[in-house]
Amino acid sequence: GRTPKMHPDTEQRRTGAQLEIQPDGSIVGSSVAHVKGIAEPSTRRRRFNARHSGDEDVVRRLLERFNETGSGSLNFPPPEDLDQPFVVKTNFKLEPISNIPGRGAIKIPVGLAPGSIESINVSNLKDTRATDYPCASYLIDEQYRISFPKSVKIEAIPKAADYADDKIQYHSIYTRQGQEVVSHRKLRVERASNVCTREDHLAWRKFLT
């Protein structure tokens, strides 16, 4: 037998988040994350293993992933109930990440959302690989709506970005609607198999840089 190769149509992580920046710079947010494929059992396992940890500790550890601080809560069906789709909903409040009021810039806050694309950005990649290694095919689709207070003047938003080769496709677009900025980022990775080569690794590094 042979493990069938993964495919972006069945391996998906989709997240929608709403963030409201307050006049004092703090951020009130919520998110809904749908996971499908191999990410689902791993997400269920993490939530199941954390069931005896205090809610504050769980939230603190999740926020620390991206150097954020604040409070919040997670809501999801019983991880062991495999008959229900595993959808994780969160509510959170973050401490300020930029000078408001005042001139400044912010990166997209993650809060208690999965932060799948952000976690790729902070990956520590080796320069070279001497042997083949396990890898995955998947689709990540993240949309964040960020609302700014009326007192804030939005002077610039990021430009759209596109990248494509025979295995990796990335597209991001940022739009402004009044005091709301919408970020939509999508990453599709389709490998030839679940085992990658040194050439695959170099192609991945090229994408990240």
Side-chain angles (χ1 to χ4, degrees):
R2 181 178 294 275
T3 303
K5 88 178 192 71
M6 300 166 69
H7 195 278
D9 290 345
T10 55
E11 305 292 333
Q12 298 185 355
R13 288 164 264 177
R14 298 181 180 272
T15 301
Q18 182 74 47
L19 306 165
E20 296 183 8
I21 299 179
Q22 306 301 300
D24 65 353
S26 62
I27 302 168
V28 176
S30 62
S31 67
V32 179
H34 300 258
V35 290
K36 178 181 178 182
I38 197 171
E40 181 180 338
S42 60
T43 302
R44 288 179 183 268
R45 182 181 67 250
R46 287 194 296 271
R47 299 282 67 84
F48 182 83
N49 291 340
R51 67 195 187 283
H52 296 312
S53 301
D55 292 344
E56 290 185 4
D57 287 341
V58 172
V59 169
R60 176 180 52 80
R61 289 197 296 269
L62 289 173
L63 294 179
E64 284 178 348
R65 297 171 301 168
F66 305 109
N67 299 316
E68 296 173 343
T69 56
S71 58
S73 61
L74 291 83
N75 182 271
F76 46 83
E80 66 273 23
D81 186 353
L82 303 182
D83 292 328
Q84 292 191 57
F86 200 65
V87 179
V88 179
K89 300 179 180 180
T90 76
N91 291 281
F92 50 87
K93 183 174 183 179
L94 306 178
E95 294 182 4
I97 61 174
S98 182
N99 294 324
I100 295 180
R103 191 179 184 91
I106 67 169
K107 68 180 184 67
I108 298 175
V110 177
L112 298 178
S116 300
I117 288 181
E118 188 69 18
S119 65
I120 293 173
N121 291 336
V122 298
S123 297
N124 182 20
L125 287 176
K126 297 178 180 179
D127 290 335
T128 59
R129 281 186 178 270
T131 61
D132 295 349
Y133 61 98
C135 60
S137 298
Y138 52 83
L139 171 70
I140 299 175
D141 191 327
E142 297 183 348
Q143 180 169 286
Y144 287 75
R145 293 183 173 273
I146 308 172
S147 298
F148 292 83
K150 293 181 179 180
S151 59
V152 171
K153 180 180 179 182
I154 303 174
E155 296 185 345
I157 62 175
K159 295 180 180 179
D162 287 282
Y163 180 93
D165 60 25
D166 59 337
K167 298 175 182 176
I168 304 167
Q169 291 85 44
Y170 175 78
H171 175 70
S172 68
I173 187 170
Y174 304 86
T175 58
R176 177 185 172 187
Q177 302 167 3
Q179 289 299 103
E180 183 178 72
V181 175
V182 179
S183 163
H184 192 181
R185 297 179 290 181
K186 185 180 292 187
L187 172 63
R188 180 185 175 93
V189 180
E190 185 169 4
R191 308 289 193 184
S193 75
N194 296 342
V195 178
C196 282
T197 64
R198 179 177 180 273
E199 287 69 28
D200 291 314
H201 175 71
L202 294 176
W204 184 246
R205 284 186 58 85
K206 180 181 178 182
F207 160 63
L208 291 182
T209 56

